[in-house]
Every structure is written in structure tokens, then in C-alpha cells.
Amino acid sequence: MVEKNGVVLVLSGPSGAGKSSLINKISDAIGDYYFSISTTTRPIREGEVQDVHYHFATKEEFEKDIENDNFLEYASVHGNYYGTSIKPVKKALADGKLVIFDIDVQGNMAIKNRLGDITTSVFVTPPSLSELQRRLKNRSTDSQEVINRRVKMAIREIQRVSEFDYFIVNDDLETAASVLKKVAITARLKIPHDRINTFVQGWEEI
Ligand code: 5GP
């Protein structure tokens, strides 16, 4: 009865929580997935590659995309725009993939409103604020001013943790990855409401 359908896994949490490391760690174990590459107006960081880590765009280009309704969701984070383009997500869902988003808490809410029936959300955090500060400093890709902004943002974001289905403390990478793997595999079991309704109709008629 269940045809192929794509599902969504939202990962949120402060920069420095280790979301990218976690995804890398579980990528071989979660089947066919599509990692959504966001568009942003923030400056490119050392080591980042255009169209791999983000589609880096100017404010004007981004605002044009907003006007043309090209985003599934977008938000202003740390004073820069970040957004998810609709087209590639639609295609990945139609192909039956697990679509993974690394987006902020505002994005999670927007996705929940639009694709709630097929979405599983996870908030990832380091064990403490001081550990987050240490990780951001060690990464040394950001200025002190940027680090301070990210820390302030993290304090605000963690207040919204109850909006998520799961909460993972990334203290030990192996342990956190093992939990996330189970969540990602379970996320695939979600069935869109319209499919369920069609099934119920057929079930009553037989
Ligand atoms: P960073 O600048 O460290 O790459 O990301 C900053 C924040 O923006 C992170 O919390 C990240 O999850 C969020 N973010 C990245 N892409 C998107 C997006 O497309 N939409 C939303 N709402 N947030 C995003």
C-alpha cells in the first residue's frame, strides 16, 4: 500500500554543536538521502566551497529569490539571510529521499507548518555554554565579534528546544551519532497525510 515517499529530517542547534560531523558520521548508514544546500548572504568562510557548503549570494540576488517565491523557508540569522530553495527539495521528496536540513529554529517552525506530516526534527547542542564557546574559539574561523553573536544566538535558540521532536547532547560524537542514526532511520517511517487518507478511503470501500 505504501508507495515511495520522501521525508524530512530537520537538524537545528548552534553553530559549533557538531551537526556537520554528525551527518558525516551517519551518512553511510541512513540510505538514500539529500542534504539541502541553503542559500546565504553571509561571507564565505575559509575552507568553504561555493555550492558545496552553501550557495553564496548577494543581498540583491537573495531578495529577488524571495520576490519570486523561490524559498520553502528563509530567515535572517546573525544579520544575514539564509534560505532553502523549493525546487531541489521537491525533486528529492518525489524521488523518495530523506531530505536533511541544517536550519535554525525559525526554519524548523516554517518547515513544520508546511511539511509537518513528513518531518522529524532534532535539536543538537554541546553539553554546555562554556563548551560551545571553547569549540567556536578552537574553530578560529570567526572573529571574536562573530563568536559573541553566535553565543548570544545559542542562548536564545536553546529556549525553543521544546519545539523539536528529539534533543541530542553532542558530548561524545560516537554516542550522539548512534542516537541520530536511529532517529534518521525512524524518520523514514512517516507517511504523508494524503497517502493515509487515500488508504483509509480504500480500506473502507473494500
Ligand atoms: P552558519 O553561518 O554557521 O553556517 O549558520 C548559521 C545558522 O543558520 C545555523 O543555525 C544554521 O542552522 C542556520 N541556517 C543555515 N541555512 C539555513 C536556512 O536555509 N534556513 C534557515 N532558517 N536557517 C539556516
Side-chain angles (χ1 to χ4, degrees):
M1 138 346 235
V2 182
E3 294 163 42
K4 193 159 89 165
N5 69 268
V7 293
V8 171
L9 179 66
V10 172
L11 290 186
S12 295
S15 333
K19 289 167 286 177
S20 315
S21 312
L22 283 170
I23 294 170
N24 287 338
K25 202 119 193 103
I26 66 167
S27 62
D28 288 341
I30 56 171
D32 203 9
Y33 75 94
Y34 167 75
F35 182 77
S36 166
I37 301 170
S38 299
T39 302
T40 183
T41 59
R42 86 144 157 73
I44 189 163
R45 270 191 217 136
E46 212 183 303
E48 284 184 330
V49 179
Q50 168 73 304
D51 300 332
V52 173
H53 296 94
Y54 280 106
H55 304 299
F56 293 95
T58 62
K59 191 163 173 265
E60 290 69 31
E61 287 166 336
F62 199 102
E63 285 174 346
K64 197 153 198 193
D65 271 348
I66 297 176
E67 241 173 68
N68 293 335
D69 236 352
N70 286 341
F71 290 116
L72 181 61
E73 63 77 35
Y74 71 91
S76 176
V77 185
H78 313 307
N80 292 301
Y81 280 129
Y82 292 79
T84 308
S85 298
I86 292 179
K87 246 198 203 160
V89 172
K90 259 192 167 167
K91 182 174 181 319
L93 288 176
D95 290 344
K97 293 189 179 172
L98 172 72
V99 182
I100 304 178
F101 295 118
D102 172 350
I103 56 178
D104 79 328
V105 293
Q106 307 169 72
N108 175 53
M109 249 317 148
I111 297 293
K112 198 172 184 171
N113 288 335
R114 294 190 76 166
L115 298 169
D117 55 345
I118 54 165
T119 297
T120 301
S121 58
V122 184
F123 191 90
V124 183
T125 176
S128 64
L129 187 57
S130 53
E131 173 60 16
L132 174 68
Q133 282 166 321
R134 197 189 62 79
R135 286 185 196 176
L136 288 175
K137 273 193 188 121
N138 283 357
R139 193 159 77 175
S140 70
T141 45
D142 295 322
S143 65
Q144 190 57 48
E145 188 201 335
V146 172
I147 291 177
N148 291 345
R149 224 185 306 147
R150 288 185 188 284
V151 166
K152 262 198 204 146
M153 181 82 181
I155 294 171
R156 247 183 296 146
E157 284 214 332
I158 203 157
Q159 311 300 326
R160 293 178 64 174
V161 69
S162 61
E163 293 170 12
F164 290 78
D165 298 318
Y166 297 95
F167 171 54
I168 296 179
V169 180
N170 186 10
D171 192 357
D172 172 63
L173 187 65
E174 292 296 331
T175 312
S178 137
V179 176
L180 186 61
K181 189 172 86 182
K182 285 181 199 142
V183 171
I185 290 168
T186 310
R188 289 218 186 252
L189 302 177
K190 289 226 168 186
I191 301 170
H193 284 161
D194 58 346
R195 288 260 168 88
I196 296 176
N197 293 339
T198 307
F199 171 79
V200 171
Q201 263 170 21
W203 182 84
E204 286 171 358
E205 282 159 15
I206 290 168

